């Protein structure tokens, strides 16, 4: 056959395929799949069903017994000589065996098993039998005064993670937050087949079946309506819960906001490689395109999915038997998934963001429970024809949803595509840092985001109008207090200032590139830390670019700048403070507290003190350091 | 954006993509890549280069030392409790851990290390340093009489195989074959990084670099021109050798005849899903189509490629440390790759075709040499951008090539596509049985095929006309001996009967579905075994469908029928024995030895004895059993 004939036939066939494709897409657009029905009591334990089983919630304690520890140390001691890494290979061929030696030496000799056991037991653990499986969970119930609401939050870990990854966040989430009048009651299960939760004994236990078990766990604990946070596998299970139980899940917060199997989203993504602006904001384009580059990266990083989706038991046999193998297999992910570039380093820069102790806590949970094989089987079930045929990602949900997108997350999907499924996708927080293991890597930032998301979910449910166009400002000439004004926070969400009623406030205009920046940020932080809890001080910072253009960045850049400086106080959207376009709040501030050489704001870091009634009471110039406000603030506590 | 607009844009883009694709394909068709140049002395050992290194060929002995054995037994004894398999899962989630227990118990308690060490040492082993790497090889030099030619044959094993896989074939290949006047001198290396051959210490050692080392090994041994056999990775390296060293490789025999990366072959394969007859013979269509089914199978089975191509060192850390993991990882392949259906069985039907001893011989080689990590790195190198950019599969070669295609091989590619690269692709042997590990599973059949292939390669080089149209038969009325006739063997290749000069022959017409079939095949085999070596008896069987249609099958079916019965004598292409279209040989036989009730052949299994001069001397009817020919044959020895 001639090559020309060949080419023309190829074109003909491709045209036919496009016709079919179009029809297929048309169907997808117009006919969303039906919500599948599940047996909510399906039995996953061994048969026969135990009809007299204990359905109570039993306290549970984590134990690293001497048997476990001695056996483990023995195996680490007698580990076999490694194959040396290739010259200068870093982590590019997988876990570098030179560095692995260091990790294992630490595990064997320095990791304090008893201390860590105690650390893991610092929160209350329980087990209860759901559908034939003993399900383990951490339960943190904060004790707070009556005027603070306690909101149930289910937190779902991923693979190769565990309940342990949320420990740094628990502190933040279960304690009153200066900006909100609620805290969280946390329910943190081990997913079935992970850690201390039992695994199903027969095939067919995919993300949907897991979602049913977790939902039943929440009912057993007494929660019929609750919020859900998840990442990685926790995102997938959480998303299914938000799909199947739309009346029970009050809001879904995810740090891996993606649709895994959504042909239309895939088609749009391909289309976007020609017209990116169709689906993704300009400043995020590089997180998705060029597609070839991201696809190449994904291909490099997804071997584990491929093997776990097809032969989990084979690789499981090796990882069950060898702590060396288990540590390498799990910890490799903590390098590359935190930052793709880390693989170039001989130590995978594992210690840049984590301590060996924390990393090994997580490995220990897999080791002590011998659960790596059953954890990996989830991939087989998730990729099974049966599960894919459910098309769960294509079923729309009305549950309000909020994503946080870290810079180095494995997959990025624009909001426009997420909205194909999440009909009330309220917001994406964009972070110019961080990777896949956000709970461990940036727990404070992630906890703040959960607070803000749940606050927004509650507004959503209370029917408050979220549309920003409706923002109505009072006349600054006649306003009496700052509480009448509305500003926008750094995420673009309206904040009525009456939320600060009863607090003494410092309002300040800030900039990132000013000679005063370092001192002011540092001392504002200090001031806040000293008086936020004890005296209810709040600091409201407004970025402003009107002084030599020293705050030129986008909101996201400013947000990230503030996060890098570990700013704890509230940073708002950039505003003008002088001129006709000055924000009404600032016009009001200047009217009520005029300046020494005129009302206008002279420079970055001008400061106003507002008393507990919302009235501006003092004004200070840029050269007054924040810490010097202390004696003045005293008057208003 | 409306869905209609979306669809029309998709169509537009697809059309544009087709345009690009066509251009791309056009380029590929018209411009074959250039043959890349390699540094034939590139150094792969540690620097600095050792200028005084020993370049001799040193004898080598395989040792399973007590240290190795005791350490291994210790690990097997202390293996950790396995995760039980899911109910009725068989091998579908990977190696079944119940059956794994049996394998490991056998290894620990019954595998006779010292016996096996002796078994492996039954052939001569050597090591020699090539380009900084100590390369191990088995060298079998047959001692034969002068009139038998000794032909050098390089045999290349695959992953997860070793030199061990050829042991059952060595016996066949290094001893005179009744049908040929040559035997093989065998050179069977451990590929660099596998078994007893050293691995390179830096990245970049792909199949091409490996081909260079092996070629240099052949030179060191003293062979500048030789034949090559390979399967799996051995196919890939062998194919590169046949591409880079076209003047050195005299012929390439492969039991995995595929082009791995050949866009045009891929395009044709896709095209063939609509017009299969364009590229594949009707009777082999099901080995390739429906494509979706084969692709699905390939997806299921290729997780190991994905992980080995990206993170070999991570998984290597586990398999280095745990004999349990190593056995599961390697032996899983011997189940599924032998027959995809075996995965449904609880024991993966591993013992259907292999013994545990033989399987563990191979695992032992990986274990004792701790070479699993370096062996897996070959996938990283083969899939590297650098290696793929060489486009080795798209460079044509003139080396005569012969493939054997087993029923359950992982990938099937029709001859039409193989010819895109192998310009002298002479023949495919089609086997309706067997899988990926042919050397271990069907050593006799594979060895016979190698003999026939090399015989054909030699004809090719001697310029003999291979075209079958030119077959000229003598006049059967005037012919003097059978040597004047030409027949076709079961592979459709012409065989002039003068190759049987000096042998006593039995010529018989056979059928598969006759009441006489069992007895005759059995006794013909017996006769052959008794007298082939001792007296030079040869048996020539001609399938014939003229008696109640009891030989209805295709050549392939007849071939496989004969192979199943372990037929050792020569089976030819189906012929007519009566009527105008009877084969001239049979007309000749009937003329020279007329029958009792007329010349015509009465039924299946009529027999003629031919003396050492090619003259038919006796004739027997179907009811005379082969074994009853004994007293008659005696006269002609």
């Amino acid at each position: 056959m001639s090559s020309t004939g060949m080419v023309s036939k190829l074109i003909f066939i491709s045209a036919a395929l496009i016709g079919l494709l179009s029809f297929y897409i048309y169907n997808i657009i117009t006919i969303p799949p039906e919500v599948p029905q599940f047996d909510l009591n399906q039995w996953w334990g061994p048969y026969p069903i135990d009809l007299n089983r204990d359905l109570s919630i039993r306290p549970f304690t984590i134990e690293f017994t001497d048997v476990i520890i001695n056996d483990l140390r023995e195996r680490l001691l007698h580990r076999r000589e490694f194959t040396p890494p290739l010259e200068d290979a870093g982590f590019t061929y997988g876990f570098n065996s030179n560095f692995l030696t260091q990790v294992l030496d630490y595990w064997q000799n320095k990791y304090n098993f008893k201390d860590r056991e105690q650390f893991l037991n610092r929160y209350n653990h329980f087990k209860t039998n759901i559908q034939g499986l003993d399900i383990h969970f951490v339960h943190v119930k904060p004790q707070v005064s009556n005027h603070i609401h306690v909101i149930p939050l289910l937190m779902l870990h991923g693979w190769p993670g565990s309940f342990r990854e949320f420990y740094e966040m628990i502190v933040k989430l279960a304690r009153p937050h200066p900006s909100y009048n609620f805290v969280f009651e946390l329910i943190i299960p081990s997913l079935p087949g992970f850690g201390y939760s039992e695994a199903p004994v027969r095939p067919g236990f995919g993300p949907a079946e897991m979602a049913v078990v977790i939902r039943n766990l929440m009912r057993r604990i007494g929660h019929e309506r609750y919020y859900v946070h998840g990442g990685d596998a926790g995102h997938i299970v959480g998303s299914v819960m938000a799909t199947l139980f739309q009346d029970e899940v009050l809001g879904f917060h995810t740090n891996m906001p993606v649709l895994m199997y959504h042909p239309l989203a895939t088609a749009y993504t391909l289309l976007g490689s020609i017209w990116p602006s169709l689906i993704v904001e300009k400043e995020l384009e590089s997180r998705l395109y060029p597609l070839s580059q991201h696809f190449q990266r994904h291909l490099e990083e997804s071997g584990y999915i491929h093997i776990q989706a097809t032969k989990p038991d084979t690789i499981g046999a090796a990882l069950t038997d060898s702590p060396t193998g288990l540590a390498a297999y799990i910890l490799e992910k903590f390098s590359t998934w935190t930052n793709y570039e880390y693989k170039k380093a001989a130590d995978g820069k594992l210690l840049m963001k984590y301590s060996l102790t924390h990393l090994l806590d997580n490995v220990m949970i897999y080791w002590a429970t011998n659960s790596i094989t059953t954890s990996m089987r989830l991939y087989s079930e998730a990729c099974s024809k049966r599960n894919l045929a459910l098309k769960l990602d294509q079923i729309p949900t009305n549950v309000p949803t909020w994503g946080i997108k870290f810079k180095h997350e494995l997959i990025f999907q624009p909001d426009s595509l997420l909205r194909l499924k999440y009909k009330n996708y309220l917001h994406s927080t964009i972070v110019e840092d961080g990777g896949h293991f956000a709970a461990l890597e940036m727990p404070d930032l992630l906890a703040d985001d959960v607070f803000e998301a749940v606050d927004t979910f509650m507004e959503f449910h209370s029917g408050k109008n979220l549309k920003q166009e409706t923002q109505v400002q009072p006349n600054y000439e006649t306003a009496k207090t700052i509480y009448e004004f509305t500003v926008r926070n750094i995420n673009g969400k309206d904040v009525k200032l009456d939320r600060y009623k009863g607090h003494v406030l410092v309002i300040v205009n800030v900039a990132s590139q000013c000679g005063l920046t370092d001192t002011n940020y540092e001392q504002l932080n200090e001031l806040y830390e000293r008086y936020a809890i004890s005296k209810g001080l709040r600091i409201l910072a407004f970025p402003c670019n009107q002084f030599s253009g020293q705050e030129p960045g986008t909101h996201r850049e400013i947000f990230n700048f503030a996060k890098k400086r570990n700013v704890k106080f509230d940073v708002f959207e950039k505003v003008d403070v002088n001129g006709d376009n000055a924000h009404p709040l600032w016009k009001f501030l200047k009217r009520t507290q005029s300046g020494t050489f005129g009302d206008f704001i002279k420079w970055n870091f001008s400061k106003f003190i507002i008393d507990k009634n919302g009235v501006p009471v003092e004004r200070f110039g840029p050269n007054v350091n924040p810490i010097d406000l202390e004696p003045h603030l005293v008057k208003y506590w």
Side-chain angles (χ1 to χ4, degrees), chain A:
Chain A
M1 178 173 203
S2 77
S3 54
T4 346
M6 162 94 197
V7 168
S8 67
K9 281 196 175 161
L10 261 186
I11 292 177
F12 169 77
I13 291 163
S14 308
L17 288 175
I18 291 166
L20 283 169
L21 181 73
S22 316
F23 179 72
Y24 178 59
I25 290 175
Y26 177 78
N27 272 342
I28 289 166
I29 291 168
T30 50
I31 312 167
E34 277 182 47
V35 181
Q37 296 300 312
F38 290 91
D39 173 1
L40 297 182
N41 298 305
Q42 191 169 356
W43 184 256
W44 288 105
Y47 289 121
I49 296 177
D50 176 6
L51 295 172
N52 298 315
R53 66 191 179 278
D54 181 0
L55 295 181
S56 66
I57 295 176
R58 294 116 52 201
F60 171 76
T61 305
I62 288 179
E63 281 185 281
F64 296 154
T65 62
D66 286 344
V67 172
I68 292 176
I69 297 169
N70 292 338
D71 171 78
L72 173 59
R73 284 202 167 127
E74 201 59 23
R75 284 170 197 273
L76 290 170
L77 176 67
H78 292 294
R79 64 180 179 260
R80 205 138 171 261
E81 199 186 332
F82 298 135
T83 304
L86 290 169
E87 286 176 3
D88 303 323
F91 267 53
T92 56
Y93 285 71
F95 208 105
N96 188 296
S97 58
N98 289 341
F99 183 65
L100 187 55
T101 306
Q102 285 182 51
V103 173
L104 300 178
D105 285 349
Y106 185 92
W107 199 4
Q108 187 190 330
N109 302 316
K110 296 195 182 141
Y111 183 82
N112 190 323
F113 293 89
K114 290 298 173 187
D115 269 12
R116 300 317 293 169
E117 180 188 274
Q118 221 173 356
F119 171 80
L120 291 174
N121 284 320
R122 67 161 53 173
Y123 301 110
N124 293 326
H125 294 251
F126 301 91
K127 279 191 176 183
T128 190
N129 195 282
I130 309 281
Q131 297 168 249
L133 303 178
D134 265 5
I135 302 299
H136 158 258
F137 61 100
V138 177
H139 197 175
V140 182
K141 275 190 188 177
Q143 299 301 322
V144 287
S145 56
N146 279 344
H147 71 282
I148 303 277
H149 300 289
V150 177
I151 310 284
L153 177 68
L154 171 68
M155 303 190 82
L156 299 173
H157 67 79
W159 186 95
S162 61
F163 62 90
R164 164 66 185 87
E165 60 189 78
F166 295 122
Y167 265 46
E168 280 75 16
M169 282 177 77
I170 291 174
V171 188
K172 277 289 274 212
L173 293 172
R175 281 192 202 156
H177 189 289
S179 305
Y180 306 96
N181 64 347
F182 57 88
V183 292
F184 293 105
E185 174 188 341
L186 302 170
I187 297 96
I188 310 177
S190 293
L191 296 180
F194 287 69
Y196 294 92
S197 285
E198 280 186 336
V201 302
R202 63 188 65 86
F205 191 84
E209 290 74 14
M210 202 175 263
V212 169
V213 167
I214 301 290
R215 175 260 191 189
N216 289 340
L217 170 70
M218 290 304 279
R219 297 220 150 197
R220 175 77 50 83
I221 295 169
H223 292 301
E224 300 203 350
R225 289 163 72 80
Y226 45 87
Y227 295 90
V228 178
H229 163 78
D232 192 86
H235 159 76
I236 293 170
V237 175
S239 179
V240 177
M241 294 181 75
T243 306
L244 300 182
F245 308 113
Q246 301 196 19
D247 295 335
E248 305 180 27
V249 175
L250 292 168
F252 177 43
H253 182 269
T254 165
N255 64 313
M256 196 179 81
V258 290
L259 308 177
M260 305 298 284
Y261 300 100
H262 198 296
L264 186 58
T266 308
Y268 270 118
T269 305
L270 291 172
L271 197 64
S273 62
I274 295 166
W275 287 306
S277 61
L278 187 74
I279 63 162
V280 64
E281 306 93 308
K282 185 77 192 150
E283 65 269 32
L284 296 175
E285 205 183 300
S286 69
R287 290 194 181 191
L288 187 57
Y289 300 112
L291 213 51
S292 58
Q293 186 188 317
H294 288 273
F295 184 73
Q296 165 73 22
R297 175 182 151 181
H298 186 68
L299 210 56
E300 265 181 58
E301 295 307 315
S302 59
Y304 81 102
I305 298 180
H306 199 160
I307 209 156
Q308 293 177 191
T310 53
K311 316 277 179 187
D313 284 26
T314 299
I315 176 111
L319 304 183
T320 281
D321 197 46
S322 160
T324 291
L326 187 70
Y329 199 79
I330 290 179
L331 296 186
E332 173 214 289
K333 305 305 178 205
F334 283 80
S335 161
T336 321
W337 296 359
T338 297
N339 189 328
Y340 179 72
E341 297 297 321
Y342 287 2
K343 66 162 62 177
K344 292 174 186 161
D347 62 357
K349 296 204 181 179
L350 258 183
L351 305 184
M352 275 275 283
K353 302 285 184 108
Y354 314 107
S355 75
L356 277 184
T357 297
H358 290 190
L359 292 172
L360 288 171
D361 283 348
N362 182 55
V363 177
M364 264 310 286
I365 290 165
Y366 280 89
W367 178 259
T369 59
N370 197 355
S371 60
I372 188 70
T373 306
T374 50
S375 76
M376 294 191 299
R377 282 181 190 157
L378 179 59
Y379 288 78
S380 290
E381 303 298 354
C383 296
S384 73
K385 279 185 193 163
R386 189 194 51 79
N387 184 61
L388 295 179
L390 297 174
K391 299 183 181 174
L392 290 163
D393 268 352
Q394 296 167 54
I395 301 173
T397 173
N398 291 316
V399 170
T401 299
W402 174 299
I404 179 165
K405 299 175 173 179
F406 291 88
K407 173 88 171 173
H408 304 291
E409 180 55 279
L410 298 170
I411 309 175
F412 172 85
Q413 219 165 37
D415 295 3
S416 58
L417 303 188
L418 294 168
R419 291 204 169 89
L420 293 172
K421 174 181 175 68
Y422 305 110
K423 294 305 173 189
N424 291 306
Y425 190 82
L426 301 184
H427 169 80
S428 279
T429 304
I430 306 298
V431 190
E432 291 298 336
D433 193 4
H436 184 74
F437 299 100
L440 266 183
E441 187 187 352
M442 306 186 96
D444 287 357
L445 193 151
L446 188 57
D448 277 349
D449 201 61
V450 170
F451 265 111
E452 195 176 344
V454 172
D455 189 46
T456 309
F457 293 152
M458 291 192 289
E459 278 181 22
F460 176 88
H461 290 298
S462 72
K464 273 198 197 163
N465 198 331
L466 290 167
K467 295 258 164 60
Q468 300 179 358
E469 292 73 13
T470 61
Q471 179 183 331
V472 179
Q473 298 287 5
N475 185 335
Y476 74 92
E477 304 266 17
T478 56
K480 295 275 179 289
T481 70
I482 65 144
Y483 302 149
E484 299 169 48
F485 293 87
T486 302
V487 295
R488 279 192 195 163
N489 72 8
I490 198 78
N491 285 323
K493 200 162 67 94
D494 283 353
V495 177
K496 185 121 194 280
L497 291 182
D498 61 0
R499 81 181 320 168
Y500 292 101
K501 266 184 184 164
H503 289 277
V504 173
L505 313 179
V506 168
I507 297 184
V508 54
N509 64 314
V510 298
S512 306
Q513 303 177 3
C514 177
L516 303 171
T517 302
D518 283 351
T519 320
N520 271 273
Y521 263 95
E522 208 171 282
Q523 295 191 2
L524 285 168
N525 252 351
E526 203 177 325
L527 209 57
Y528 183 82
E529 270 171 23
R530 268 188 222 168
Y531 300 113
I533 304 283
S534 63
K535 302 294 183 189
L537 173 71
R538 296 290 178 268
I539 297 172
L540 287 64
F542 290 84
C544 174
N545 196 35
Q546 290 186 298
F547 306 100
S548 288
Q550 291 174 345
E551 187 72 305
T554 63
H555 296 154
R556 273 170 198 140
E557 285 163 355
I558 296 168
F559 173 78
N560 282 293
F561 177 84
K563 286 299 168 190
K564 266 189 201 150
R565 305 211 154 216
N566 208 14
V567 162
K568 303 233 166 48
F569 50 83
D570 300 334
V571 181
F572 293 87
E573 204 175 86
K574 189 149 72 171
V575 294
D576 277 6
V577 297
N578 288 327
D580 284 350
N581 292 323
H583 192 282
L585 170 69
W586 282 83
K587 289 180 178 168
F588 172 74
L589 290 172
K590 291 189 292 186
R591 180 179 71 75
T592 50
Q593 287 291 327
S594 52
T596 315
F597 304 105
D599 287 350
F600 67 98
I601 302 292
K602 311 298 176 308
W603 198 250
N604 303 309
F605 301 103
S606 298
K607 300 161 192 84
F608 293 86
I609 296 180
I610 319 295
D611 71 11
K612 287 189 178 176
N613 302 313
V615 179
V617 286
E618 295 196 46
R619 170 169 173 166
F620 303 89
N623 290 324
V624 179
N625 283 336
I627 219 69
D628 298 335
L629 268 54
E630 267 186 310
H632 301 273
L633 287 166
V634 172
K635 300 177 254 172
Y636 310 106
W637 296 145

